[in-house]
Amino acid sequence: MVGHRSSVIVGRDDELGTLQQALTAARGGRGGAVFLVGESGIGKSRLSAAAADLGFAADMRLLRGRGSSIGPMVPYRSLTEALLSLLRAGDPIDIDALGPYRPVLARLIPDWGTAPAEDAGGSLVILSEAVLRLASLAGQGRGCLITLDDLQDADAETLAVVEYLIDNMDHEPVALVGMIRDAPSPALTLARACAQRGTGVVIDLDRLAPDDVRRMAGSCLAIPATDVPAAVVELLWAGSAGNPFLVNEIVASMIDDRLLVPDGKGWQVTEAVRTNLPTTFVRGVARRVEQLGPQAREVLSVAAILGRRFPLGVVQAATGIEHSDLLSRLRDDALAELISPDEQTPDWYCFQHSLVVDALLTLVGPAERAALASQVADAVELVYPELPGEWCQLSAALRLEAGYPTVAGRLFAEAGRRALASGAAHSAVILLDKAWELLVNDVPARADALEARLYALAEAGLVDKALAEVSMLAEIGTGLDHRRRAQLHVRLAWVANLAGRTADGLNQVEAARVLLGPDAAAEDIAPLDVVAAHLELDMPGSGQLRKAEQTARRAVSVAEQVPLPIVACQGWQLLGALTRTRDPDEATACLERSRGIAVQYDLPIWEIHALVRLGLDDALREGSVDRLEQARQQATRLGAVTARYQAEVNIALQVILRGEFDAAEALIDTVLADTTRLKLLETTQHMLVLRAVLNGHRGRRREMDRALADLRERDGDQAQYAPRVHGLARALCALLEEDRDQARAELSLALAAEQTSPTTFHLAGRYGLNLLLDTLAGKSDQAAYQQIISVPAARLRWDRQFALFARAVLAGRSGDDVTELIREALQVGAPYALGQHLGLRLVGEAALAEGWGEPVDWLRAAEEYFHGNGFSVAAGACRALLRRTGNRVAQRRNGIERIPQRLRSAGVTVREYEVLRLLADRLGNREIADRLHLSLRTVEKHVSSLIFKTGLPNRIELSKFTP
């Protein structure tokens, strides 16, 4: 029979062409997905194998995984199998290039280390990104093909990863081919949705036409299609209705039953027969089973109970057959027609098709099937005592079929808890629902299952459902004591806090307090207090920060005594943020304490969180990013992806303040692309703010406004970011445009926002730039100066440079020598070239007008910096001031390299280009004249010249021109 199967794929030329196009595109870096959809036996696996053959011929990397038919679903099964198949191929991959995503993949590939904790890199989206990066790395220069069979049996987490891959692989060298049965399923819904939005292709496989059935029969019989007897074609069509697998099987059965025999010239039908499938197919399988001996039949039955794929060890344990005898049985031709070795996993075998399994199970009666299920469950637990991975669910399903619902319920509950621990929260909900249904006669176990299910709902983002169903805890009587119920309320309060549901979180806190009562143990109150402190931060009212600090201090006091190290780390880090305004030294001490506890109790993720905050402390106070870099490196080693991005947000700000604009732009672009794809909204918003700050410090108003518009489109909290937006972005941009009034207006908005919504961000200008501008305007005297700089928050280095410049202005006006004060301001501002020279430019103008200090030297230094770094307006202002002194000022016309080639070719001069850039910002001639320190007539001449050189009809069109 084995020799009479079709060796060619019939009637699928268009489908093969589509697959070939997808592989070719992937090898060229344009990834895509193709879904093969159809009934069982229609040829999905055959086409997938053909795609793999094409990929192998093209030297593509091949990854193959299959869904599990065990229900409920096994989390990540097909993905794990696919990644392991990549590693087993023996083709080396530089996995260190994955950076922080390598540890994340330990959730799927345990040999790669310990998977990060959920709050480190446990996000499902981050895992999806890790899989995408591995596939892309595998496909570099050659392409990578991922085939996933039986996606209709895949779990929710696997489908989420698949969807992420599909949505983000269009610029990666990766092709994905998925096989889905045509019955309704989440996988089929996903495939249809992807096809609708143009991110994937769905191929609906139809049954073969009669002519194709004839061709396939000819291939099976090794004769031309025209020589296949008409009676055979009619029989095949009637029995298979064009299903390719059934065509193969019917041909084989006809030969086995001597209904179709060779006649020397070809084949002939020996008698008229009629067939009715699937009955005929089942009869054919039964006939083959009847021809086997008792042991072989037992092997088949046990294997069918296990599913399409099965390990030899379990079959041996269930049947008691010696290993050598069992191997001999499986190599027998009769069994080989139904079972073959699994190509991917040693010592595993698989049935030729899932229809064979279905047919075998129909031959087993209910009582025999229950007995077999119990027998196989015992064997599974013997071979795999801890029931790792999918074996826990399989054992649960077997125990249920054997008639032991309570035992099955406990196993489903354990599988659910494991799924939750691995980050598969949606699968955990399904498994724990099943456990809840089965454990009606075991109240304590049912209560445990409900508790785990509520955690799973919360982790799956189903906060509303979790909060609504928490009341069910009271319905199960003594299953959970008050203390455990209170702990669950605390957990839900923390989830509500992370989701921004402050009121819901506080309700959970209150429910926990009521359950614990007035005589609660301190160790139960501390976790509750630290959550409450975080929630109190978001409540309106001027006293909330103080209340949050008191609650956090109470929590850490208890947490260090019990000890509760995680609670202590949470509390000390919160205190570090809350005390920074009042006493930066105390804030640093709080963070150092948090880090010390994390190191003492081996809590690496909490150490990284502390390092990020300590690094920010160092950066703000001293301008050093060493500790931030240390945090980034440790986060990379641990796979703490979100913590790494938090470190990079803070690094990016310091790189901007240092004036390393190209490096800042590269970092911001990289992190923005990643966090946008990962849907890390808060980090994305922070980076958009920093993009605005970067362009503000570059004096690029249009780019700054574009970044802020993007922030608004992504629901960025304008009040939260107002101090940064107005104080660091817009104010600096206005100063570089020589619009001091606008700069002061922006700083006023920043300080007002800071006053309305207290924040731990302290670079809005209150203690630095605003102080300097107020001093220059005569609105701040020595007493006001002293009052402002006496605040601990004024110690931040970026602000201190401007405060020292302000102090020099006050000293100069009093007739004192300012040399040492200016030297100190420049020393403090040493990391911040732009800040230094803005200070020199502003102080130089006042000194020049008021007759003190060395304004010429200061203005020359500022002009040199501004000119060399492309700040033409500020450089022009410095030159204009220098001319007033009678000093000769060289003309600066060597900025020609900044003019785009098309304008340079048209003869546009440096000054005309400066005018054109300001026209694009919708400035009038008078405003341009003021900015560039030109006469109104000169600006008018430049505008006329630009109209002529660009060929544009008028000034309006010129203002729309993109320089």
Side-chain angles (χ1 to χ4, degrees):
M1 185 180 71
V2 175
H4 296 291
R5 297 186 183 276
S6 176
S7 59
V8 298
I9 298 177
V10 175
R12 305 297 189 203
D13 293 347
D14 291 343
E15 291 82 353
L16 286 169
T18 300
L19 289 169
Q20 180 66 75
Q21 290 173 7
L23 300 187
T24 301
R27 292 200 304 277
R30 303 183 311 280
V34 178
F35 293 101
L36 305 174
V37 176
E39 65 180 311
S40 186
I42 201 67
K44 302 184 293 295
S45 296
R46 190 73 182 273
L47 278 172
S48 171
D53 290 342
L54 292 171
F56 180 79
D59 195 34
M60 296 178 73
R61 301 253 194 184
L62 305 178
L63 289 73
R64 181 186 174 192
R66 286 167 289 199
S68 171
S69 58
I70 301 170
M73 304 155 186
V74 179
Y76 306 119
R77 186 196 186 287
S78 54
L79 288 174
T80 299
E81 185 175 294
L83 298 188
L84 289 174
S85 72
L86 173 65
L87 300 184
R88 281 194 296 266
D91 209 349
I93 298 175
D94 181 17
I95 55 177
D96 289 336
L98 294 170
Y101 290 93
R102 175 184 173 175
V104 172
L105 287 169
R107 287 168 65 183
L108 303 181
I109 309 173
D111 289 348
W112 283 9
T114 302
E118 192 156 338
D119 53 356
S123 162
L124 182 57
V125 176
I126 290 173
L127 177 64
S128 303
E129 175 71 11
V131 173
L132 176 64
R133 291 186 180 220
L134 177 61
S136 179
L137 181 66
Q140 282 183 359
R142 57 197 290 189
C144 175
L145 170 62
I146 305 173
T147 59
L148 298 176
D149 206 347
D150 291 327
L151 275 176
Q152 73 280 347
D153 296 324
D155 55 290
E157 285 73 26
T158 293
L159 294 180
V161 174
V162 168
E163 183 171 25
Y164 185 90
L165 295 177
I166 294 166
D167 287 343
N168 295 286
M169 62 198 286
D170 51 332
H171 297 298
E172 307 293 345
V174 182
L176 185 146
V177 176
M179 286 72 79
I180 308 172
R181 204 167 297 155
D182 60 357
S185 67
L188 186 56
T189 301
L190 168 62
R192 300 285 186 209
C194 290
Q196 190 170 17
R197 62 178 182 259
T199 56
V201 175
V202 171
I203 297 177
D204 288 295
L205 296 175
D206 295 325
R207 294 189 173 195
L208 300 179
D211 286 346
D212 290 327
V213 170
R214 179 184 289 273
R215 289 173 54 206
M216 191 170 184
S219 176
C220 292
L221 299 172
I223 60 175
T226 53
D227 292 345
V228 178
V232 171
V233 176
E234 291 175 8
L235 176 64
L236 292 175
W237 178 251
S240 71
N243 183 295
F245 176 77
L246 295 179
V247 170
N248 270 315
E249 290 300 312
I250 295 171
V251 170
S253 294
M254 291 176 69
I255 295 172
D256 285 348
D257 293 342
R258 306 288 298 168
L259 300 177
L260 186 64
V261 295
D263 63 358
K265 299 180 180 178
W267 295 81
Q268 66 176 356
V269 178
T270 59
E271 61 180 277
V273 294
R274 293 189 300 276
T275 187
N276 178 24
L277 276 238
T279 305
T280 298
F281 173 61
V282 174
R283 271 205 315 268
V285 172
R287 189 166 50 251
R288 286 178 233 166
V289 171
E290 289 169 1
Q291 295 170 359
L292 300 172
Q295 280 193 334
R297 290 199 296 272
E298 185 182 13
V299 168
L300 280 178
S301 299
V302 166
I305 288 290
L306 283 166
R308 171 107 186 255
R309 300 172 64 247
F310 54 91
L312 207 57
V314 173
V315 175
Q316 182 185 356
T319 60
I321 303 174
E322 289 293 330
H323 186 268
S324 57
D325 289 343
L326 183 57
L327 282 177
S328 176
R329 297 280 181 195
L330 290 170
R331 290 168 183 160
D332 182 81
D333 288 344
L335 271 184
E337 294 175 358
L338 301 172
I339 295 175
S340 61
D342 188 286
E343 296 177 357
Q344 298 195 69
T345 312
D347 293 324
W348 279 62
Y349 282 72
C350 62
F351 285 95
Q352 298 286 358
H353 200 278
S354 58
L355 287 174
V356 176
V357 179
D358 296 340
L360 285 170
L361 291 177
T362 63
L363 303 177
V364 182
E368 184 184 356
R369 187 161 172 170
L372 270 174
S374 182
Q375 177 184 342
V376 173
D378 290 341
V380 167
E381 292 178 11
L382 179 66
V383 177
Y384 301 101
E386 301 299 321
L387 295 178
E390 65 187 279
W391 296 111
C392 187
Q393 285 187 57
L394 177 57
S395 184
L398 291 170
R399 293 299 182 193
L400 182 59
E401 188 162 12
Y404 301 103
T406 301
V407 177
R410 291 181 191 140
L411 288 169
F412 278 128
E414 175 60 22
R417 284 187 285 269
R418 292 182 186 180
L420 181 59
S422 72
H426 289 279
S427 291
V429 170
I430 295 172
L431 291 162
L432 291 162
D433 277 347
K434 188 72 173 175
W436 169 263
E437 294 171 5
L438 296 172
L439 290 170
V440 290
N441 295 319
D442 189 340
V443 173
R446 199 175 200 221
D448 290 342
L450 176 60
E451 180 183 22
R453 181 175 178 277
L454 290 173
Y455 278 111
L457 286 169
E459 294 302 327
L462 303 172
V463 182
D464 286 330
K465 193 170 184 180
L467 294 174
E469 294 187 8
V470 72
S471 60
M472 293 171 63
L473 287 170
E475 299 175 11
I476 55 177
T478 60
L480 292 179
D481 61 27
H482 288 180
R483 188 167 180 261
R484 284 180 61 191
R485 287 167 59 190
Q487 290 169 351
L488 181 55
H489 284 289
V490 172
R491 175 64 173 169
L492 292 174
W494 184 254
V495 171
N497 170 59
L498 296 178
R501 305 275 290 275
T502 304
D504 287 328
L506 289 172
N507 288 338
Q508 295 301 313
V509 166
E510 183 58 29
R513 292 197 191 281
V514 170
L515 283 168
L516 292 172
D519 301 323
E523 59 264 33
D524 292 329
I525 293 295
L528 182 58
D529 278 343
V530 81
V531 176
H534 282 86
L535 289 163
E536 285 160 0
L537 283 177
D538 296 326
M539 294 299 291
S542 58
Q544 290 307 118
L545 293 181
R546 184 172 62 255
K547 184 178 179 182
E549 182 178 345
Q550 291 171 349
T551 307
R553 287 191 183 282
R554 190 167 65 240
V556 298
S557 176
V558 173
E560 291 205 343
Q561 293 176 20
V562 171
L564 299 169
I566 292 179
V567 172
C569 288
Q570 289 175 316
W572 282 120
Q573 289 183 25
L574 179 59
L575 288 169
L578 290 171
T579 58
R580 182 176 288 124
T581 302
R582 184 181 67 248
D583 189 342
D585 291 335
E586 182 182 359
T588 300
C590 291
L591 295 173
E592 290 286 11
R593 183 63 187 147
S594 175
R595 185 189 179 194
I597 292 170
V599 172
Q600 179 184 354
Y601 289 97
D602 191 23
L603 301 171
I605 183 58
W606 288 104
E607 182 187 0
I608 291 172
H609 286 318
L611 273 176
V612 170
R613 289 167 173 80
L614 285 165
L616 175 60
D617 234 19
D618 292 351
L620 292 175
R621 296 173 68 180
E622 300 300 331
S624 168
V625 296
D626 291 347
R627 203 137 45 164
L628 283 172
E629 288 290 355
Q630 182 185 354
R632 175 159 67 170
Q633 291 167 9
Q634 285 194 213
T636 299
R637 286 196 298 272
L638 184 64
V641 175
T642 53
R644 175 189 163 111
Y645 289 136
Q646 289 164 6
E648 288 177 328
V649 166
N650 294 317
I651 290 170
L653 173 59
Q654 294 307 311
V655 176
I656 293 170
L657 297 181
R658 288 168 175 267
E660 299 168 9
F661 299 141
D662 289 343
E665 183 175 41
L667 178 57
I668 289 170
D669 287 347
T670 298
V671 176
L672 258 180
D674 290 348
T675 58
T676 298
R677 191 155 72 187
L678 294 170
K679 296 181 174 62
L680 299 175
L681 183 60
E682 185 176 356
T683 307
T684 298
Q685 290 173 349
H686 277 304
M687 274 302 186
L688 286 170
V689 172
L690 289 181
R691 178 176 277 177
V693 171
L694 169 63
N695 285 301
H697 281 233
R698 282 176 153 176
R700 299 179 179 179
R701 180 167 292 277
R702 283 187 300 162
E703 290 89 338
M704 177 184 69
D705 289 341
R706 192 176 303 128
L708 294 174
D710 197 0
L711 175 66
R712 286 191 294 273
E713 289 175 5
R714 302 195 198 199
D715 299 322
D717 185 343
Q718 303 305 302
Q720 175 188 352
Y721 297 118
R724 295 172 176 82
V725 169
H726 296 290
L728 268 183
R730 291 190 179 280
L732 266 290
C733 188
L735 285 176
L736 292 171
E737 294 169 340
E738 287 294 315
D739 191 343
R740 200 175 304 178
D741 290 339
Q742 182 63 36
R744 295 195 64 200
E746 297 290 355
L747 286 166
S748 294
L749 291 171
L751 300 187
E754 193 177 59
Q755 190 71 29
T756 303
S757 302
T759 174
T760 56
F761 176 80
H762 300 299
L763 294 183
R766 183 182 301 278
Y767 310 107
L769 190 55
N770 188 69
L771 175 59
L772 174 57
L773 293 181
D774 274 357
T775 302
L776 290 170
K779 295 185 177 182
S780 179
D781 57 15
Q782 188 67 39
Y785 172 85
Q786 289 297 333
Q787 183 179 3
I788 290 176
I789 67 164
S790 65
V791 177
R795 300 177 197 171
L796 306 185
R797 190 165 185 171
W798 171 260
D799 281 340
R800 272 193 295 140
Q801 63 177 332
F802 295 118
L804 286 166
F805 278 123
R807 184 179 172 191
V809 172
L810 292 171
R813 287 172 177 170
S814 299
D816 298 332
D817 183 17
V818 301
T819 303
E820 190 59 28
L821 289 172
I822 293 295
R823 186 195 65 78
E824 185 180 358
L826 293 175
Q827 183 180 27
V828 170
Y832 314 120
L834 177 59
Q836 279 183 319
H837 293 95
L838 270 177
L840 289 174
R841 182 261 173 274
L842 293 168
V843 172
E845 182 175 4
L848 186 64
E850 297 165 8
W852 50 268
E854 300 175 357
V856 172
D857 290 345
W858 301 339
L859 289 170
R860 283 194 186 280
E863 191 278 337
E864 186 71 26
Y865 171 79
F866 289 136
H867 172 74
N869 288 276
F871 299 113
S872 57
V873 177
C878 291
R879 289 195 293 272
L881 289 169
L882 286 168
R883 290 190 189 99
R884 294 183 197 173
T885 67
N887 285 277
R888 182 175 179 181
V889 181
Q891 291 292 318
R892 296 284 197 179
R893 290 293 183 268
N894 59 347
I896 189 72
E897 68 281 353
R898 297 197 303 274
I899 303 175
Q901 182 60 46
R902 54 180 174 155
L903 295 179
R904 205 183 308 170
S905 301
V908 174
T909 67
V910 173
R911 181 62 82 186
E912 287 169 350
Y913 182 62
E914 292 170 349
V915 170
L916 180 58
R917 286 182 61 87
L918 295 176
L919 277 171
D921 287 335
R922 305 295 193 269
L923 270 62
N925 286 355
R926 171 60 66 187
E927 293 173 296
I928 295 173
D930 292 343
R931 292 280 182 90
L932 298 179
H933 303 280
L934 301 173
S935 69
L936 183 61
R937 176 64 181 153
T938 299
V939 173
E940 290 171 348
K941 288 172 60 178
H942 285 321
V943 172
S944 297
S945 178
L946 283 166
I947 290 172
F948 172 75
K949 291 179 179 179
T950 60
L952 295 170
N954 50 49
R955 178 196 174 89
I956 294 175
E957 293 301 317
L958 194 63
S959 68
K960 298 177 183 178
F961 187 80
T962 302

